[in-house]
Amino acid sequence: MTKSLMDTLGKVALFGDLTEAELEALARRMSRRPLLGGELLFAEGDPCQGFFVVESGALRIFKTSPSGREQVLTIERTGGIVAELPVFDDGPYPASCSAVVETSVLFLSKVEFRELCIEHPTVTLKVLKATGKRLRRLVALIEELSFTTVRQRLAGLLLRIADKEGVPTGDGLEITIPANQEIGAHIGTVRELVSRNLSRFQSEGMIRMDGKQVVILERKRLEEELQSD
């Protein structure tokens, strides 16, 4: 099992400078935890016990309002790290985390992670770099929610999915979209507005929908939506 953990850890940016022996020592300190799709890994406000590496699958980081509405902050996939910041500040987990699909995570306690950072200062610098990137994403999210419309945010999401997963067809790019409620959690709205704006995109000839399968017919027009006032 240690060898498979080493292979996974070797692909994580934080541990890129560690030698094989150091990766082996790190792997021996980590434990593996399987999660079912939708299973909660930790809740906002829980005491931080350590940090996690996504071995396979995907983790969804989100905040929940007092009314129960969710806002997705990010999705971490294979090789992604979760909860590296509260390991250092001794605060609780600042957001909740659940598995998007069946997922395997690797766990390292905060005591052992701190020891690793003391022994290998480059790991600490990489944590700061990763935290900086996460902060930039959150600032971009705040700007998007503050200064754009639901229609613009939905167009942006469709384009991002197309860039990552789009399959060329005879008349456009085919993508698979999440349920409307999940889309709403990503772009800061409710599912009714997601449904309404998807229908408008379709009636205007920008997309064609068949359930969760969407073909982007007019990519340029969706891109123009992002520039509109």
Side-chain angles (χ1 to χ4, degrees):
M1 183 175 78
T2 301
K3 177 60 178 172
S4 65
L5 290 186
M6 288 173 61
D7 291 340
T8 299
L9 295 173
K11 298 174 184 175
V12 176
L14 290 187
F15 310 131
D17 292 336
L18 299 186
T19 66
E20 186 170 343
E22 290 166 344
L23 283 175
E24 182 176 5
L26 176 61
R28 293 186 184 281
R29 296 175 176 176
M30 302 194 84
S31 58
R32 179 182 281 133
R33 177 176 172 182
L35 298 167
L36 299 174
E39 184 176 350
L40 191 68
L41 180 59
F42 56 78
E44 178 179 352
D46 285 351
C48 175
Q49 304 297 325
F51 93 115
F52 302 88
V53 173
V54 183
E55 183 178 29
S56 63
L59 292 177
R60 174 177 179 268
I61 316 300
F62 62 97
K63 299 276 287 185
T64 306
S65 73
S67 65
R69 189 166 133 190
E70 294 181 356
Q71 172 65 56
V72 175
L73 303 179
T74 189
I75 301 289
E76 292 291 346
R77 304 186 187 278
T78 302
I81 56 173
V82 174
E84 73 280 8
L85 189 58
V87 162
F88 289 102
D89 70 5
D90 284 326
Y93 291 120
S96 300
C97 177
S98 65
V100 178
V101 294
E102 189 173 329
T103 297
S104 176
V105 298
L106 305 174
F107 173 77
L108 184 68
S109 74
K110 63 181 180 182
V111 171
E112 293 190 290
F113 186 48
R114 286 174 177 175
E115 291 175 355
L116 174 71
C117 289
I118 291 171
E119 294 172 11
H120 303 281
T122 56
V123 173
T124 305
L125 292 175
K126 289 183 176 182
V127 170
L128 291 174
K129 184 176 180 180
T131 301
K133 287 182 177 179
R134 198 182 301 279
L135 178 59
R136 288 180 183 276
R137 287 201 300 268
L138 291 177
V139 169
L141 177 62
I142 292 170
E143 290 178 344
E144 184 177 82
L145 293 175
S146 300
F147 302 120
T148 61
T149 65
V150 170
R151 182 181 172 97
Q152 288 173 316
R153 298 199 293 274
L154 180 57
L157 179 65
L158 294 177
L159 290 170
R160 288 194 295 273
I161 295 175
D163 288 339
K164 290 182 180 179
E165 307 168 11
V167 177
T169 66
D171 49 4
L173 281 176
E174 184 173 7
I175 61 176
T176 301
I177 61 173
N180 288 352
Q181 184 170 346
E182 184 68 17
I183 292 175
H186 276 273
I187 66 173
T189 189
V190 293
R191 62 184 179 183
E192 291 82 6
L193 286 179
V194 172
S195 178
R196 187 181 308 165
N197 281 279
L198 284 172
S199 295
R200 286 176 178 170
F201 284 158
Q202 178 165 247
S203 66
E204 293 167 17
M206 298 187 201
I207 65 173
R208 184 175 66 245
M209 294 190 299
D210 183 8
K212 292 186 179 182
Q213 299 305 118
V214 172
V215 177
I216 295 179
L217 303 172
E218 296 283 350
R219 180 189 177 98
K220 185 176 180 180
R221 289 176 62 192
L222 283 177
E223 291 172 343
E224 289 171 350
E225 286 291 331
L226 302 181
Q227 307 304 321
S228 62
D229 292 329

